[in-house]
Amino acid sequence: MNRQTMDGWYEYEALSEADTVSFASALARLAVPGTTLALDGDLGAGKTRFARAFAEALGVPDNVNSPTFTIVKEYEGGRLPFYHMDVYRISLLEADELGLDEYLYGEGVSLVEWASLIEPLLPEERLEIVIEHAGEQARTIRYRPLGEPYAQWCRTLKLPGGEGESGR
């Protein structure tokens, strides 16, 4: 089920890993140069699985895994360059010094795991996503558009198990 809440967030109930993959794939189809996805959630909630599904839908030919210790992994060969970041182990100052803005404001797609840790560095326009455990396989995926391009995505996003359009 997919719905918009009163606080401007949208909510999608992913009943299985396949639903999470479908959600990530649907977003990847909307991606354009400069897209930023700010991804948060508990350990083991499925952030890296989401990133892998997103990359696969972009056509990234490589195996995508967590960049926990490398901070950023760059992937080419898909429809757009894909920049997968995991900022869990660095401070805001360290993130700023790394020059992540070259990715965040570049021509590819940036997906940042643990994005709330570097919120001041993120583009004003982005899609915030929070993945929460809702059972063994089930996840609640909350997402909020910041900026009109992402608001349009949320209004027209076609998701499995929903009524066809997000928030309706």
Side-chain angles (χ1 to χ4, degrees), residues 13-54:
E13 298 297 331
L15 301 178
S16 65
E17 181 178 333
D19 285 348
T20 300
V21 167
S22 293
F23 179 80
S25 298
L27 288 178
R29 286 190 291 275
L30 299 171
V32 296
T35 292
T36 299
L37 302 181
L39 186 58
D40 282 287
D42 294 332
L43 286 169
K47 293 180 298 298
T48 300
R49 180 63 187 108
F50 177 94
R52 185 178 311 123
F54 187 93

Side-chain angles (χ1 to χ4, degrees), residues 51-83:
R52 185 178 311 123
F54 187 93
E56 288 169 359
L58 277 180
V60 172
D62 302 319
N63 181 35
V64 172
N65 51 37
S66 180
T68 301
F69 295 103
T70 57
I71 313 303
V72 180
K73 287 191 176 179
E74 299 179 41
Y75 298 93
E76 301 286 336
R79 184 170 63 82
L80 295 165
F82 180 60
Y83 310 124

Side-chain angles (χ1 to χ4, degrees), residues 107-158:
E107 292 300 310
V109 175
S110 296
L111 186 147
V112 185
E113 292 189 37
W114 303 100
S116 61
L117 298 174
I118 64 162
E119 195 274 332
L121 302 179
L122 297 174
E124 285 186 30
E125 292 191 345
R126 61 185 181 269
L127 184 65
E128 295 184 336
I129 303 168
V130 178
I131 302 175
E132 301 167 337
H133 290 277
E136 188 173 324
Q137 291 286 320
R139 301 292 184 264
T140 298
I141 303 174
R142 299 182 73 232
Y143 54 106
R144 178 174 68 169
L146 297 178
E148 182 51 37
Y150 299 103
Q152 180 64 26
W153 284 22
C154 293
R155 286 191 296 269
T156 61
L157 190 60
K158 305 267 189 256

